Amino acid sequence: MRVPEMRRFGRWFGLIGLLLALSACRPAPLLRSATIQPDLLTPDGDGRNEVVAIRYALGRNATVSIYFVGPDGTPRYFRREQPRPRGEYEVLFNGVVENQLLPDGHYTWVVEAREGSETAQITGTLTVSGSHPQALRITGFSISPPEFTPNRDGLSDRATINVCINRPAQILVYLEGADGVRYPVPRKEVQLRKPGEEGCHIFDYDAGVDRGQEPPPDGTYTVYAVAEDALGLRDVVTGTLTIREGGVPRAEILNGRVEFRSDISAGTGDYIPVNLGGFLYFTLTVHNYGAVPIRTSGPPPGTCYDLDQTFNTPQPGRPEGWAEESGAWRVGIDFDTSLRNYPFRWAVGRPEDLEVRIIDGRPYYYLPAGRTAIVTGCIRITYVPPRNPLYFWAGLIHEDVEIAPLNNRVDPRRVLIEGP
């Protein structure tokens, strides 16, 4: 190669190197590209054009905003100053901005990237058609009572939370304590409306006690009702609910032992003899081993029944007899040929063993947590049943709730009725 040609080649090589060096020093574009496809959005639930795809590429790390500007010139933000590393992105958009659907109309969309004082934008157009004109709202919300005692005593054991929505949406209700722990509230099973339907829905809250679960600790909680539709639109309302003296009631016949005797025998043999017209006596101890008091009702220990009576039978000083009471605990005595379950019943303690509470002007009686009480009673044998001898036994009844297996048919004793 001749010298002049070599010089020309050297100059060209140097120029190319310089251009490459300058190109290497130039920073990459902040916002390489941005598109929204398709350019028509119809969020009307028909399954077509329900979402559009937003795609953009960053040449450098940047803070990104995506928003829509309508005829009124107000920007409605889908993303606002979100930090993103360089790279390519895709996100689906269903028309919801700032918890509202974009109204029908023509919009300018803007994808904006910012790094320090440098800002880059790419814009385009989007048409929205068929947008739901009505915002999702919780139109009714109530809590009753505002304070309740979930302990299965039959008094203020449940709270009812009503939530009404103006259009179809799923509803979530929960309690949240000061510590941030959440406790879900189930929807009541028997309702006129299906889950998600427009209208009012009932949430029946027993704090889990009916399922044998310990309730949230006593205190005041914030109740959240959250409605959310298929597009992700939400509405939230709050209230307060106080839990007091909550807990699962637990009691037992102590040691599963009942002392039966008659007025002629202590009953130490295979059976207890009792004369026709005589009395069968019992003594047992009730132990409240739970964390909450248990409510009880009469008749008091020491009451005597005839064999053909029940606790509903009119008694001296109680002409209307005693009725079953939801949530009340009673000691019961039953026998083989009885026509009903535990016909003879007594309170779980004497008046001096019990705590008296006045609720709505009426006295109610409770055996405090951790306490025991001795219960006695008797039955006058007024006739000979079809089966003789026969078994008598005790039970501890939580009325309209359960007779727990350990408290049912406790310490059966064989009794022989003697006489004509």
Side-chain angles (χ1 to χ4, degrees):
M1 181 181 293
R2 289 188 244 179
V3 172
E5 291 176 343
M6 292 178 62
R7 287 175 179 170
R8 283 199 301 272
F9 179 79
R11 285 197 298 270
W12 280 108
F13 184 79
L15 181 59
I16 292 171
L18 178 61
L19 291 174
L20 290 173
L22 290 174
S23 175
C25 294
R26 184 182 304 161
L30 188 57
L31 183 60
R32 291 184 181 275
S33 62
T35 62
I36 290 185
Q37 293 178 337
D39 59 3
L40 173 64
L41 177 65
T42 59
D44 54 10
D46 67 355
R48 294 176 298 177
N49 292 335
E50 297 286 343
V51 296
V52 296
I54 303 174
R55 300 182 181 90
Y56 62 94
L58 298 174
R60 288 174 275 150
N61 298 349
T63 299
V64 174
S65 297
I66 303 172
Y67 55 92
F68 300 84
V69 181
D72 60 359
T74 302
R76 294 173 170 84
Y77 282 87
F78 175 57
R79 297 285 187 270
R80 190 166 193 163
E81 297 184 352
Q82 299 293 310
R84 296 286 185 269
R86 66 182 183 133
E88 297 182 354
Y89 294 86
E90 178 178 335
V91 62
L92 297 179
F93 175 62
N94 63 359
V96 177
V97 291
E98 300 167 0
N99 200 35
Q100 291 184 343
L101 268 176
L102 285 175
D104 287 0
H106 301 284
Y107 294 86
T108 297
W109 59 260
V110 180
V111 176
E112 179 180 281
R114 180 171 53 82
E115 181 194 36
S117 59
E118 182 182 353
T119 300
Q121 289 184 346
I122 296 177
T123 65
T125 59
L126 176 69
T127 299
V128 178
S129 176
S131 175
H132 200 297
Q134 186 181 34
L136 174 63
R137 291 287 180 266
I138 295 176
T139 56
F141 178 66
S142 65
I143 303 170
S144 178
E147 177 179 298
F148 78 129
T149 55
N151 53 28
R152 300 184 93 176
D153 69 350
L155 304 173
S156 296
D157 283 334
R158 318 179 80 84
T160 299
I161 302 169
N162 290 309
V163 184
C164 305
I165 50 177
N166 65 336
R167 59 187 181 82
Q170 296 300 315
I171 303 173
L172 174 68
V173 177
Y174 60 88
L175 274 61
E176 184 172 292
D179 55 3
V181 177
R182 294 181 176 182
Y183 303 89
V185 177
R187 182 177 178 272
K188 193 172 183 178
E189 291 183 4
V190 181
Q191 301 204 47
L192 296 178
R193 293 185 175 89
K194 296 178 181 179
E197 284 187 343
E198 175 185 340
C200 295
H201 298 258
I202 301 171
F203 291 78
D204 182 32
Y205 188 50
D206 63 4
V209 175
D210 279 2
R211 298 181 296 279
Q213 302 171 0
E214 289 298 331
D218 287 0
T220 298
Y221 293 81
T222 300
V223 180
Y224 287 84
V226 182
E228 183 170 347
D229 68 9
L231 293 171
L233 293 172
R234 303 171 83 243
D235 194 22
V236 180
V237 296
T238 62
T240 58
L241 178 63
T242 298
I243 295 176
R244 182 175 58 82
E245 211 166 56
V248 178
R250 294 183 170 93
E252 64 181 354
I253 296 174
L254 190 63
N255 298 322
R257 184 172 179 274
V258 183
E259 178 188 335
F260 285 104
R261 63 181 180 83
S262 73
D263 47 8
I264 62 172
S265 172
T268 56
D270 292 337
Y271 59 85
I272 302 171
V274 58
N275 288 327
L276 182 64
F279 289 87
L280 179 68
Y281 301 92
F282 78 91
T283 301
L284 58 80
T285 301
V286 175
H287 178 212
N288 179 356
Y289 66 94
V292 295
I294 61 172
R295 185 170 74 84
T296 191
S297 186
T303 298
C304 279
Y305 292 90
D306 287 348
L307 190 62
D308 57 355
Q309 292 180 326
T310 72
F311 67 98
N312 306 123
T313 303
Q315 298 175 11
R318 187 83 180 188
E320 71 278 17
W322 297 86
E324 288 188 82
E325 297 183 29
S326 295
W329 293 71
R330 284 183 168 117
V331 168
I333 296 293
D334 206 346
F335 61 99
D336 281 333
T337 59
S338 171
L339 298 179
R340 65 159 299 169
N341 197 26
Y342 291 102
F344 317 120
R345 300 187 185 187
W346 294 262
V348 299
R350 301 167 300 172
E352 57 265 37
D353 299 320
L354 306 175
E355 175 186 299
V356 183
R357 301 181 181 184
I358 305 300
I359 302 173
D360 295 330
R362 176 183 168 184
Y364 291 89
Y365 300 88
Y366 290 81
L367 181 64
R371 294 276 290 275
T372 60
I374 295 174
V375 179
T376 62
C378 62
I379 301 159
R380 187 162 69 98
I381 306 302
T382 54
Y383 69 95
V384 179
R387 183 181 302 172
N388 186 34
L390 72 167
Y391 281 95
F392 282 75
W393 61 87
L396 186 57
I397 307 147
H398 193 182
E399 292 183 341
D400 287 343
V401 178
E402 66 175 355
I403 305 175
L406 293 178
N407 286 324
N408 192 24
R409 200 179 172 90
V410 177
D411 205 6
R413 294 301 308 276
R414 203 163 181 238
V415 174
L416 175 65
I417 300 172
E418 298 180 336

